[in-house]
Structure formats: structure tokens, C-alpha cells
Amino acid sequence: MLRKDIERILISEEELDKTVSRLAEEIDRDYSSPDKNLVLLCILKGSITFMGDLMKKLHVPVEIDCMKVSSYGSGTKSGGAVKIILDIDRPDISSCDFLIIEDIIDSGNTLSYLTGYLMHKGARSVRTCTLLDKPSRRVVDFTPDYRGIEIPDEFVVGYGLDYAEKYRTLPFVGILKPEIYLK
Ligand code: IMP
Ligand code: MG
């Protein structure tokens, strides 16, 4: 039913699984020291699927937390200003090594804002991990620490990513037919 709105599959379930495994290995390797207090910070809602799959593949001890932000106004264009809709609420920020888990980096506004926000709150360290990267759309100069797959400037949905709150449940990442959002 949802699939009829997809022009083509850009990243298959198999490729997503391989990519998430590779990222989990990189994170395991970097956070293996016992003095780390790794907190995976899921950015709701788009990163839910990625976060769920990634955390199952990690061997290092982690805590999880969530924040909800919005930078996308409506439609398929980034709004620029980042608004915090749900904040973290924990007393131990100064002992946390945050790893922000994001579905996709586009303009870079969200990850650059959140990194600054958490550092300002006194986090011990902040790094970023994004499944997808659209480097051609960058507005602020920002390089994620962990990066899954570079994609072209196409609006994609599935594997957590939505258009107008739909398509998050698709198990692959697909390009939406433009007639859906040009309607
Ligand atoms: P940025 O702040 O411009 O880097 O935007 C990041 C956010 O925009 C992501 O967390 C997504 O929620 C959203 N986004 C960017 N590109 C896409 C896309 O192709 N499909 C769905 N959401 C997207
Ligand atoms: Mg998002």
C-alpha cells in the first residue's frame, strides 16, 4: 500500500543491515575503555528504527536517552532553526559521553545545534552518528563522527524517515515519487 508511492528503493534492507553492523563495530572499538559512560541519544522520531537496530549490535555498555527536535517545517525543505520539543532530563550530564544518533544529516543545522547544546549543558563529550548523509545540502560546516551512507539530494523515506508522518515503517530507504509531495 505504502510502496506504491515509492519511485525506487535507494538502500535495501541488506545494505542497511551491513551499514549498521559496520557503524556498531566502529563505535564498539572507540568506546571500549571502561572509563567511558556512553549514552546513545536517539533523536525522535526519525532515528527510532536506526537506534533500535544499532543498539542491538553493540557490545559496549550503553545507556539510552531521547530528545525530540524539529527543524523541518512542513514538506521537504529544512526550516533552519532547531526547536527542542523534548529535552533530556538527567542530573549526571557532566559524566556522560553522548553519541547523538540521527537518521540523516542534511543542512547540518540539527547536529551542529545539538552538539553545541549538549556541550553547553556540560556534557563530558559529544559525538554524532548519522545513518545517511546528504553532503550536497550542507549549510553549516559539520562533519559527523560516524557516517553510514552518502546519498544524493533526493527526498527519502522509510527506515524511520517520514514524509508528513508517513512511510516510517518501510524496511528500506526509498525515494518518494515527487508527485506525492508536489500534490
Ligand atoms: P538538518 O538539520 O537540515 O541536517 O536536517 C536533519 C533532519 O531533517 C533529519 O533529522 C530529518 O528529520 C530531516 N530530513 C532531512 N532530509 C530528509 C529526507 O530526505 N527525508 C526525510 N527527512 C529528512
Ligand atoms: Mg530527524
Side-chain angles (χ1 to χ4, degrees):
M1 267 152 58
L2 285 175
R3 293 185 191 215
K4 69 173 188 341
D5 297 346
I6 303 300
E7 185 148 284
R8 68 184 172 90
I9 295 179
L10 188 64
I11 310 165
S12 67
E13 288 186 66
E14 293 72 25
E15 197 183 343
L16 286 167
D17 186 64
K18 266 199 280 179
T19 303
V20 177
S21 295
R22 196 240 313 149
L23 291 170
E25 276 170 30
E26 293 176 18
I27 295 165
D28 266 342
R29 190 193 57 213
D30 294 352
Y31 287 87
S32 61
S33 149
D35 64 347
K36 294 274 190 226
N37 181 21
L38 176 57
V39 180
L40 298 182
L41 186 63
C42 178
I43 305 307
L44 301 173
K45 298 175 227 174
S47 308
I48 285 183
T49 316
F50 175 38
M51 172 88 164
D53 283 350
L54 180 72
M55 64 193 231
K56 286 184 289 182
K57 292 180 192 276
L58 290 174
H59 297 96
V60 292
V62 297
E63 292 182 25
I64 64 166
D65 219 320
C66 298
M67 279 183 78
K68 187 173 178 196
V69 299
S70 79
S71 69
Y72 256 48
S74 56
T76 61
K77 292 277 174 289
S78 186
V82 180
K83 195 169 121 200
I84 294 178
I85 295 167
L86 175 75
D87 205 348
I88 41 167
D89 177 24
R90 48 191 308 152
D92 62 340
I93 289 187
S94 62
S95 65
C96 289
D97 295 301
F98 287 103
L99 181 58
I100 303 174
I101 307 296
E102 183 56 311
D103 49 2
I104 185 167
I105 177 168
D106 187 38
S107 69
N109 282 322
T110 305
L111 283 181
S112 107
Y113 176 83
L114 282 176
T115 301
Y117 179 78
L118 292 167
M119 288 310 290
H120 182 75
K121 279 200 153 202
R124 186 162 69 175
S125 69
V126 183
R127 283 190 184 169
T128 56
C129 172
T130 185
L131 177 66
L132 306 177
D133 185 3
K134 276 189 208 172
S136 60
R137 304 241 320 157
R138 210 67 101 248
V139 171
V140 293
D141 184 20
F142 191 91
T143 307
D145 299 288
Y146 303 91
R147 198 175 77 131
I149 303 170
E150 183 173 321
I151 64 166
D153 183 10
E154 301 270 11
F155 193 78
V156 292
V157 295
Y159 200 70
L161 292 133
D162 75 307
Y163 170 67
E165 295 301 327
K166 279 163 65 182
Y167 310 102
R168 293 192 196 275
T169 51
L170 291 171
F172 52 78
V173 172
I175 296 174
L176 196 60
K177 288 182 180 164
E179 66 236 45
I180 302 294
Y181 53 84
L182 295 176
K183 260 201 288 228

